[in-house]
Amino acid sequence: MAIILKQFTGVAIPFILIALGYIFANYDGVRIRLLWMVSVTTGLLLAVVMVVVYKVFNISFIYDAVMPVLRNTYAPVTGVAIGAVFLPAIKRFVADMGKRAFYGATILVLVVPAVFNKDVFLFNGGNSLWFGFYCFIIGVGLFEYHQRRGLIYTGLQTTLMILMGALATVLMTHISSVNYDDMSASVRFVSYSSIFSVLTAISAVQFFLLLVPIDEHATFHGTSQLDSLV
């Protein structure tokens, strides 16, 4: 029961990351990119000051400047920030893929680690920059291809994903107990990046959008001079 509860609460992380991708896709991203550029430029200038004034150089100075959110915080946040910076390119990429290819690739990325039990995409259980970037792209894809269905349909879909995840965890616990006389395999699907966590999060985001709709036409643009500059 504790493992199932952990799996259920773990849906919150991919839910937030995917929702951020969807929300940012509703913006033009100019102010986000400008903020990131200011942050990186300031960090690099401070690194130069450290070298000139204190005669000390460490590669971590540059690392901290270019990835200001990653250090000593939560790595997926930097993945979301990078996704926001390259938002126009990501939107074009997702649009060029097409709906079927996008959803197929999304599921394939989840299926491969689940089948082989290997972290081939360096998601680190959902605690890596790449996982944040991946969820951001999913959010952009939902913005591009989201089909609004009924509240009941989406609610049942989300509930079904939760039950499937719980059932998979129970089965893995039983198999592990019978074959290995322990519970080592019971947590195979219990992580932020597991197939059931991410698919449940996608369904939950779609359900949430029906409860709190976002105006898809209310894009926010900077000034035309700023657009051309960035």
Side-chain angles (χ1 to χ4, degrees):
M1 290 301 296
I3 294 173
I4 292 175
L5 180 61
K6 180 180 179 182
Q7 181 189 54
F8 176 75
T9 55
V11 174
I13 296 300
F15 173 87
I16 293 173
L17 297 174
I18 293 170
L20 286 174
Y22 185 96
I23 293 171
F24 279 131
N26 200 38
Y27 290 72
D28 63 1
V30 169
R31 292 169 182 165
I32 300 169
R33 294 195 297 274
L34 183 61
L35 176 62
W36 182 264
M37 290 166 60
V38 170
S39 175
V40 171
T41 302
T42 303
L44 290 174
L45 289 175
L46 290 175
V48 171
V49 170
M50 289 289 291
V51 174
V52 173
V53 175
Y54 297 101
K55 309 299 183 183
V56 176
F57 175 77
N58 192 314
I59 192 62
S60 66
F61 294 163
I62 307 300
Y63 187 78
D64 293 344
V66 177
M67 300 291 185
V69 185
L70 181 59
R71 298 291 280 182
N72 301 318
T73 54
Y74 190 51
V77 174
T78 295
V80 171
I82 292 175
V85 170
F86 294 100
L87 180 61
I90 292 174
K91 292 178 76 170
R92 288 194 298 269
F93 172 74
V94 171
D96 291 341
M97 284 186 70
K99 182 178 179 180
R100 290 186 177 180
F102 170 77
Y103 282 114
T106 298
I107 295 176
L108 181 63
V109 170
L110 298 173
V111 168
V112 172
V115 171
F116 297 101
N117 198 27
K118 298 292 183 181
D119 187 18
V120 294
F121 299 109
L122 303 178
F123 283 168
N124 190 28
N127 294 293
S128 71
L129 178 154
W130 302 113
F131 181 70
F133 187 66
Y134 166 72
C135 287
F136 184 89
I137 294 176
I138 293 177
V140 174
L142 285 182
F143 178 82
E144 184 74 24
Y145 299 116
H146 176 53
Q147 292 182 340
R148 294 188 178 276
R149 302 182 184 273
L151 192 65
I152 295 178
Y153 177 93
T154 310
L156 289 175
Q157 176 181 278
T158 305
T159 303
L160 178 62
M161 293 307 307
I162 294 173
L163 293 177
M164 288 178 61
L167 178 61
T169 300
V170 171
L171 289 176
M172 289 303 297
T173 303
H174 178 70
I175 293 172
S176 181
S177 178
V178 171
N179 293 336
Y180 306 109
D181 198 27
D182 60 25
M183 296 179 64
S184 59
S186 61
V187 295
R188 182 163 181 171
F189 298 117
V190 182
S191 71
Y192 303 144
S193 61
S194 77
I195 183 171
F196 295 108
S197 295
V198 175
L199 291 181
T200 302
I202 293 174
S203 296
V205 169
Q206 293 174 327
F207 181 76
F208 179 78
L209 289 172
L210 294 175
L211 297 177
V212 186
I214 297 176
D215 185 0
E216 298 181 359
H217 301 288
T219 54
F220 293 82
H221 299 275
T223 62
S224 57
Q225 292 85 354
L226 183 60
D227 274 320
S228 59
L229 175 63
V230 178

